[in-house]
Amino acid sequence: MALLSKSCVYGIRAAILMAIKGEKEFISIKDIAEELNLSAHFLTKILQLLTQEGLLISHRGPKGGVKFSRPAKNIKLIEIVAAIDGMELFEECALGLHGCGTATPCPLHEKWAEHKIVLRTLFETENLEKLADNVQDAGLRLRTLSQLDIIEFNNTKMQK
Amino acid sequence: MALLSKSCVYGIRAAILMAIKGEKEFISIKDIAEELNLSAHFLTKILQLLTQEGLLISHRGPKGGVKFSRPAKNIKLIEIVAAIDGMELFEECALGLHGCGTATPCPLHEKWAEHKIVLRTLFETENLEKLADNVQDAGLRLRTLSQLDIIEFNNTKMQK
DNA sequence: TTAATTTAGGATAAAAGAGTCTTTAATACT
DNA sequence: AGTATTAAAGACTCTTTTATCCTAAATTAA
Ligand code: SF4
Ligand code: SF4
């Protein structure tokens, strides 16, 4: 099991890319999808969730696309996760017993309750601007590597 | 998304119950499933994974069942998780980019790499005996509550 | 040896997640 | 007005997870 769903991971990558691209203009989802090496249709669905949550503003037609509804600095990573995967990860018990934490907590309760806070804090302290800056400063990557990219990467390395 | 798959959660619950029941005798999977309110067939499949990993010893026929291959005290929670869900949660990157952590780490890398260790340590320091003791000492529950259970619980509370 | 019990294993079904494709609606530009 | 562009929305497919069911193999006990 991964921590986040694939949809969520794609959404996060897209959001970081958007934060890099700037916040003034609408950015077309197709362009984002191409840069991230994802299906544009699929990404559209995912970003729709963010639009429905009010994190993005969308606009149809030529020059349309999506952009943040507020400065990237004020958008926490956890908001993206919440819109796509929900808050389950940060709120539910590790053993999936419902009615949790009340009268009859499960054996892991104490440890996990403590850890949930740490995890939540991690996602709450990261904002999109900061992540975007990280990416730019360090020349980090967001794109998944296709087989072709890997070959290209290896060739480039050998030429150096 | 939950942290652990349902199969994994069921496996953990079963393992804790087994640790409570004692380690001498074989315990039938059907009995465990009944106590945990799960499908016996499904639980059988899950526990097979633990048997294949060598965590359990199984025995067919009357008086058959499963038991731990070593003292519950020496079985870490992470071993159960690893056998069912694999080590992905503790080893892979949060953003699911493969080729991770090498030349071009993703923007979350540093924070997540640090957090992974904390998470892993949590699952490594919990052993089954300790969890079982917790359950017994505090009268905690392992069983999922059915609608009927909840009604019964409420009635009991009112009578007090 | 026969019958009962219990795990192993495969076939199948149902539900959820991931991904594709087509149509519709809004918008900008000519 | 007409055309191209773009997000929205829904139908549909494929895969994985979850779950059920049936049969086979092993083992105990009478
Ligand atoms: S008691 Fe606590 S740890 Fe256990 S399932 Fe409930 S919330 Fe999770
Ligand atoms: S760079 Fe680090 S955090 Fe990012 S995907 Fe790779 S391992 Fe995960």
Side-chain angles (χ1 to χ4, degrees):
Chain A
M1 288 278 290
L3 191 75
L4 305 171
S5 71
K6 285 199 165 195
S7 296
C8 190
V9 166
Y10 297 162
I12 292 172
R13 287 190 205 155
I16 293 174
L17 185 62
M18 284 174 65
I20 292 172
K21 291 221 166 195
E23 307 175 25
K24 302 270 163 62
E25 307 272 305
F26 285 106
I27 308 166
S28 98
I29 297 177
K30 185 160 147 272
D31 290 352
I32 301 173
E34 265 168 27
E35 287 211 44
L36 295 180
N37 205 20
L38 297 176
S39 145
H41 281 299
F42 192 34
L43 186 59
T44 300
K45 291 220 165 141
I46 296 165
L47 295 187
Q48 268 173 38
L49 294 171
L50 302 185
T51 305
Q52 283 159 16
E53 279 303 308
L55 292 170
L56 300 183
I57 295 167
S58 71
H59 192 71
R60 303 194 211 191
K63 306 236 169 169
V66 288
K67 67 177 180 184
F68 293 118
S69 61
R70 41 191 158 104
K73 188 175 180 173
N74 298 336
I75 299 181
K76 296 174 197 164
L77 185 55
I78 201 171
E79 295 182 83
I80 310 283
V81 175
I84 300 171
D85 274 356
M87 289 293 287
E88 185 186 348
L89 183 62
F90 311 106
E91 293 179 345
E92 293 301 310
C93 114
L95 294 193
L97 297 163
H98 45 245
C100 200
T102 54
T104 49
C106 87
L108 261 182
H109 184 78
E110 207 171 326
K111 286 270 185 177
W112 179 244
E114 203 178 294
H115 189 79
K116 261 190 306 197
I117 296 169
V118 179
L119 188 64
R120 182 169 181 155
T121 304
L122 169 59
F123 280 85
E124 268 176 348
T125 50
E126 294 293 333
N127 70 70
L128 291 181
E129 188 184 68
K130 194 170 143 199
L131 288 173
D133 286 350
N134 271 4
V135 174
Q136 290 189 296
D137 290 354
L140 302 178
R141 74 191 164 84
L142 278 172
R143 202 169 188 282
T144 47
L145 297 179
S146 66
Q147 231 22 56
L148 264 173
D149 290 330
I150 290 168
I151 292 165
E152 195 182 315
F153 175 77
N154 288 338
N155 286 346
T156 312
K157 214 166 47 177
M158 284 169 68
Q159 280 159 24
K160 274 179 191 169
Chain B
M1 289 276 291
L3 191 76
L4 306 171
S5 72
K6 283 196 166 196
S7 295
C8 191
V9 167
Y10 298 163
I12 292 172
R13 286 189 206 156
I16 293 174
L17 184 63
M18 284 173 64
I20 291 173
K21 291 219 165 198
E23 307 175 26
K24 302 269 163 61
E25 308 270 306
F26 285 106
I27 308 166
S28 99
I29 297 178
K30 187 161 146 272
D31 290 352
I32 300 174
E34 266 168 25
E35 286 211 42
L36 295 179
N37 205 21
L38 298 176
S39 144
H41 281 298
F42 192 35
L43 187 59
T44 300
K45 294 230 157 121
I46 296 166
L47 295 187
Q48 266 172 39
L49 294 170
L50 302 185
T51 305
Q52 282 159 16
E53 277 304 307
L55 293 170
L56 300 182
I57 296 167
S58 70
H59 192 71
R60 301 193 212 190
K63 305 236 170 169
V66 288
K67 67 177 179 183
F68 293 119
S69 61
R70 41 192 159 103
K73 189 176 180 172
N74 297 337
I75 299 182
K76 296 174 197 163
L77 186 54
I78 202 171
E79 294 182 81
I80 310 285
V81 175
I84 300 171
D85 274 354
M87 289 293 286
E88 185 185 348
L89 183 62
F90 311 106
E91 292 178 347
E92 293 300 310
C93 118
L95 294 192
L97 296 163
H98 46 245
C100 197
T102 53
T104 50
C106 87
L108 262 182
H109 183 79
E110 208 171 323
K111 287 270 186 175
W112 180 244
E114 203 177 294
H115 189 79
K116 261 190 305 198
I117 297 169
V118 178
L119 189 64
R120 185 172 179 151
T121 305
L122 169 59
F123 280 85
E124 269 175 346
T125 49
E126 295 292 333
N127 69 70
L128 290 182
E129 186 184 71
K130 195 169 140 197
L131 288 173
D133 285 350
N134 271 1
V135 174
Q136 290 189 296
D137 289 354
L140 303 178
R141 73 188 166 88
L142 278 173
R143 201 169 191 281
T144 47
L145 297 179
S146 66
Q147 233 20 60
L148 265 174
D149 290 330
I150 290 168
I151 291 165
E152 195 182 317
F153 175 76
N154 288 339
N155 286 345
T156 311
K157 215 166 47 177
M158 283 168 69
Q159 280 160 21
K160 274 178 189 168

